[in-house]
Amino acid sequence: MIKFESVAKTFRRARVLDGISLEIGTGERIALIGSNGAGKTTLIRCLLGEYTHDGSVTIDGHSPRRERTAVLGKIGFVPQLPPPLKMPVGQLIAFAAGLCGTDPKRILEVAGSLGLDTTPIMDRQFVRLSGGMKQKLLIAIALGREANVLVMDEPAANLDPEARKIFFELLAERTASATMLISSHRLNEVASLVNRVIELDLGRVILDDRVADDVSLSGMLACRISAKRVEPAFVKALGTWNFEDLGGGLEWQGLVAGPDRLRFLGMTSRYVALISNLSITEVNK
């Protein structure tokens, strides 16, 4: 599927990628991790055909640099920072769909499932959307096409918990047919989404390891929390997760997407002295 062979890239005498060789197969979900400057973004740019480089990069035997239009039609890309496009939303959707022969209605459907109503914003410039709206639209464009490679940089960072659930379910639909490369600064943000971890440092691969693949992307966790007293900050935090108040701010219940378990536990850890009981049960959805 994806093959990097001795890929190297230098910027102004600085070696950013230093002879990277990797093979990534269909169905693999890769966490590409590393600190700032490790080479993650440069490697992704080479995969997208945006940079010249030493060595070779191929997707199904095709070069994303030399055959860019054909290859990019098979890639869904979600950048960490939305581009400052002045193109109207409707025109952007039509352009993205036309690039890969996808029906624009499919992109609109994915956007709607993420909670983004595109009807009132079709004539609005993309750059004028809110951060959350931009993220949902970019995800809809990436997942609304028949892409067999999904490249995502912190894809769920700006999504609310409900939209994250839908996002994980959409990814689950593609696990058998697509290869996913998910870039992140922190492994705990994406650990539940992947089955292989590749870590870069100073342009080299320092870790390439398989991880447990027993978390369903569409799985759910039923959670119940009891608090010792009413704490407004805790009430507000649970409200963002759409939890239901069962008793005057002292007892709560709700559903958490399986891949979000670490993120949810990270939130609750801030209130560990306040929580008197916490139960989490996996449920079939």
Side-chain angles (χ1 to χ4, degrees), residues 26-279:
T26 301
E28 290 197 282
R29 305 191 302 277
I30 309 295
L32 183 64
I33 63 172
S35 59
N36 288 330
K40 303 187 304 298
T41 298
T42 302
L43 189 66
I44 287 175
R45 298 297 183 188
C46 291
L47 178 62
L48 297 175
E50 296 182 7
Y51 289 159
T52 58
H53 53 80
D54 296 328
S56 68
V57 178
T58 56
I59 299 175
D60 280 341
H62 299 282
S63 167
R65 182 69 183 177
R66 295 192 301 272
E67 306 168 75
R68 197 167 181 207
T69 300
V71 173
L72 286 184
K74 300 179 181 178
I75 298 177
F77 177 49
V78 182
Q80 181 181 16
L81 298 176
L85 296 175
K86 294 183 179 180
M87 187 182 296
V89 168
Q91 187 178 341
L92 175 59
I93 291 173
F95 172 78
L99 185 64
C100 58
T102 296
D103 188 341
K105 291 181 180 178
R106 174 56 182 159
I107 295 176
L108 297 177
E109 289 171 359
V110 175
S113 68
L114 290 168
L116 176 62
D117 181 6
T118 54
T119 303
I121 63 171
M122 293 296 276
D123 294 325
R124 191 182 306 177
Q125 291 181 334
F126 176 81
V127 73
R128 295 187 179 278
L129 301 180
S130 68
M133 294 170 74
K134 290 177 182 175
Q135 190 76 352
K136 290 177 181 179
L137 184 57
L138 290 173
I139 290 173
I141 289 173
L143 299 184
R145 55 171 62 182
E146 294 301 320
N148 53 17
V149 176
L150 296 173
V151 182
M152 298 169 283
D153 195 347
E154 306 278 4
N158 294 321
L159 299 182
D160 56 84
E162 187 59 33
R164 287 172 67 92
K165 289 179 189 176
I166 302 300
F167 172 61
F168 298 142
E169 291 173 0
L170 292 170
L171 287 185
E173 296 174 0
R174 309 291 286 275
T175 53
S177 61
T179 297
M180 303 181 193
L181 187 63
I182 305 173
S183 177
S184 179
H185 298 298
R186 299 170 297 277
L187 178 58
N188 63 348
E189 286 288 322
V190 296
S192 297
L193 297 176
V194 303
N195 52 25
R196 182 178 171 187
V197 176
I198 295 173
E199 183 175 1
L200 300 184
D201 187 40
L202 298 178
R204 296 181 178 181
V205 175
I206 61 171
L207 174 70
D208 184 354
D209 200 9
R210 306 282 175 176
V211 297
D213 189 19
D214 56 356
V215 175
S216 169
L217 294 182
S218 59
M220 301 295 291
L221 305 172
C223 304
R224 196 177 184 100
I225 300 179
S226 298
K228 298 176 183 177
R229 64 181 185 279
V230 176
E231 172 57 55
F234 188 49
V235 170
K236 182 178 180 180
L238 290 174
T240 64
W241 287 85
N242 298 319
F243 269 49
E244 178 187 2
D245 185 352
L246 300 178
L250 294 176
E251 191 165 7
W252 300 77
Q253 71 176 12
L255 292 174
V256 173
D260 251 350
R261 66 179 70 201
L262 290 178
R263 187 182 180 93
F264 177 72
L265 290 173
M267 181 278 291
T268 58
S269 68
R270 300 198 298 268
Y271 303 97
V272 64
L274 181 68
I275 297 172
S276 59
N277 186 63
L278 170 61
S279 65

